[in-house]
Amino acid sequence: MERSFHRLAIVNRGEAAMRAIRAVRELNQGLERPITVIALYTEPERQAMFVREADEAYCLDDGAGAGGDGVEQQSGYLDFAALERALASTKADAAWVGWGFVAEQPEFAELCARLGIVFVGPKSSAMRLLGDKVEAKRLAEKVGLPVAPWSGGAVETVAEAREHAERIGYPLLIKAAAGGGGRGIRRVDGPEQLPAALESARSEARNAFGDDSVLLEKLIEPARHVEVQLIADGQGSAWAVGIRDCSLQRRNQKVIEESRSPVLSADRERELGDAAVRLALEAGYRGAATVEFLYQTDQDLLSFMEVNTRLQVEHPVTEATTGVDLVKLQLEVAAGGRLEGDPPTPVGHAIEARINAEDPALGFIPAPGRIALLRFPGGPGIRIDAGVSEGDSIPAQFDSMIA
């Protein structure tokens, strides 16, 4: 099924936007009719690198943004009316969203469908199915993935939570059914903590995602956080491209990622990859996704955690060890391309570290401002994915990650 496009709107900013721009530039070298890249930006980013590097640019808003905590609810990148105006005004025929902002919002995929624009990602139905942690766990159980003891559905009342907690056992986690980014998660070590934790998790989920649905699941510890990189064409083929280990985290946010996992055996890696492919095919998935698991090394036990229905920040370590370009593959399957044969076998090892503009003396709060000096390392085996250069300004309205 052909869905060709030639005017691609980047509904993202910074490093994510630059990642897409670079991929399109390389892809254009082999196309008879090149793809025009359109950067959508907010007023504070008028001089940003991704705006300078794009073929065309369109301002989304007047600069109204979120506070300095990096939360992006008020950003123009989340304003559907502004996004619709931008897509129509620029005559975009496709949209790439990367990670964050509208990347996991099925309503944006539906907006693109209504406008006749190719959404470089999954169908809204697949996004809803896999993006909801309750429905994703049910589907995982259906296709035979290992799932830790959980509530079996959303939990609404304290009485209901107590009943499930007695069966699951403590310690446990209360988790928001929607969203991600570590929000709406509370650890509960005993029954006396349950009522307050339930209310706190639901309140945070309501504020962050507009949905206060939560579930209960057994806390798996000690455990490694491992995940499968998926790409699927929506036409019956899916690849498990590689396995990553993202166990080093801060405030439920990944900091160091590596590929492959230093603790999984080759058999365990194949098992995870096969399971992730079954899940993608059952959901009729198209595009890039990540299936996340917890691995108890002392017991050699795997437990399905969730699915991220988008590309992730840590995708470069998979690209480094496999040679694939996941952004190009996203664009190709969105245009109707098929995955032929088997994915390449990973070779070697790669480690990624996120670079954030933060002040360690003030508890690592975001530190916006002008970049006076910036020197990245170089040489064989080093890759830098950055959204800034020396002299650029880091706006206060957005996440502090710059490279």
Side-chain angles (χ1 to χ4, degrees):
M1 184 168 58
E2 185 65 28
R3 297 182 293 271
S4 62
F5 49 85
H6 306 285
R7 293 182 59 79
L8 179 70
I10 307 297
V11 189
N12 212 304
R13 59 172 300 280
E15 183 257 325
M18 284 304 304
R19 175 69 188 88
I21 290 170
R22 293 186 180 112
V24 172
R25 277 182 179 164
E26 293 179 10
L27 202 58
N28 278 345
Q29 295 176 10
L31 297 178
E32 290 185 12
R33 182 180 174 186
I35 298 171
T36 298
V37 176
I38 307 158
L40 308 187
Y41 68 95
T42 60
E43 187 60 38
E45 304 171 290
R46 185 172 289 276
Q47 301 301 322
M49 176 190 284
F50 74 98
V51 178
R52 301 193 306 264
E53 294 292 331
D55 300 310
E56 299 177 16
Y58 181 96
C59 186
L60 286 168
D61 64 14
D62 59 2
D69 60 358
V71 178
E72 303 141 9
Q73 279 103 324
Q74 302 304 314
S75 165
Y77 298 105
L78 288 166
D79 184 335
F80 275 59
L83 292 174
E84 182 170 356
R85 287 194 299 272
L87 294 171
S89 298
T90 60
K91 296 182 171 55
D93 56 10
W96 183 90
V97 292
W99 49 87
F101 299 117
V102 296
E104 291 184 279
Q105 295 195 18
E107 296 82 4
F108 183 75
E110 290 167 350
L111 169 64
C112 290
R114 179 164 57 82
L115 296 176
I117 290 172
V118 173
F119 176 67
V120 182
K123 294 179 181 177
S124 60
S125 57
M127 202 183 297
R128 281 195 169 88
L129 175 63
L130 296 175
D132 184 301
K133 293 181 180 63
V134 169
E135 295 304 320
K137 282 183 181 293
R138 288 172 175 163
L139 186 64
E141 289 176 325
K142 178 181 177 182
V143 299
L145 272 66
V147 178
W150 70 298
S151 54
V155 174
E156 297 184 1
T157 67
V158 173
E160 203 178 344
R162 288 193 192 281
E163 183 180 332
H164 287 297
E166 288 180 11
R167 174 179 56 82
I168 295 169
Y170 295 95
L172 56 81
L173 288 178
I174 301 173
K175 295 178 70 172
R183 299 188 185 114
I185 299 177
R186 297 293 183 273
R187 173 176 174 147
V188 183
D189 290 306
E192 70 283 353
Q193 299 176 0
L194 193 60
L198 181 66
E199 177 55 34
S200 176
R202 293 189 68 179
S203 176
E204 186 175 34
R206 187 185 309 115
N207 292 333
F209 314 122
D211 182 352
D212 65 358
S213 300
V214 297
L215 59 92
L216 270 61
E217 68 179 20
K218 181 69 176 175
L219 176 63
I220 305 298
E221 62 174 8
R224 305 281 295 210
H225 184 134
V226 296
E227 58 188 34
V228 182
Q229 175 65 62
L230 275 176
I231 185 78
D233 61 16
Q235 301 180 68
S237 293
W239 285 356
V241 184
I243 307 289
R244 295 188 291 261
D245 193 306
C246 307
S247 300
L248 285 171
Q249 302 187 11
R250 179 191 64 172
R251 299 194 292 267
N252 295 315
Q253 294 276 359
K254 300 164 187 174
V255 177
I256 301 290
E257 301 103 0
E258 56 186 317
S259 183
R260 302 149 69 182
S261 171
V263 297
L264 286 178
S265 68
D267 288 342
R268 276 307 209 188
E269 287 196 349
R270 279 191 296 272
E271 179 184 338
L272 278 189
D274 292 345
V277 166
R278 291 199 305 272
L279 191 68
L281 295 179
E282 182 69 24
Y285 197 82
R286 183 192 73 216
T290 300
V291 185
E292 305 195 3
F293 296 84
L294 292 175
Y295 178 60
Q296 287 181 277
T297 54
D298 57 341
Q299 300 182 50
D300 190 32
L301 289 177
L302 285 162
S303 298
F304 168 80
M305 189 164 60
E306 63 188 37
V307 181
N308 286 312
T309 56
R310 54 171 168 81
L311 197 63
Q312 296 202 147
V313 176
E314 56 269 27
H315 77 275
V317 292
T318 299
E319 295 182 330
T321 53
T322 61
V324 303
D325 188 309
L326 288 161
V327 177
K328 290 180 186 176
L329 282 177
Q330 280 186 294
L331 296 170
E332 288 168 7
V333 299
R338 302 188 69 124
L339 298 173
E340 304 290 349
D342 297 321
T345 301
V347 175
H349 200 88
I351 297 174
E352 172 179 310
R354 304 190 188 198
I355 301 175
N356 286 33
E358 298 176 350
D359 190 336
L362 295 174
F364 294 96
I365 65 169
R370 182 177 175 274
I371 302 173
L373 178 68
L374 182 63
R375 295 290 184 271
F376 286 124
I382 293 176
R383 165 175 168 173
I384 304 293
D385 283 30
V388 294
S389 58
E390 191 171 296
D392 285 350
S393 292
I394 301 171
Q397 291 89 343
F398 303 104
D399 185 84
S400 59
M401 193 186 80
I402 59 171

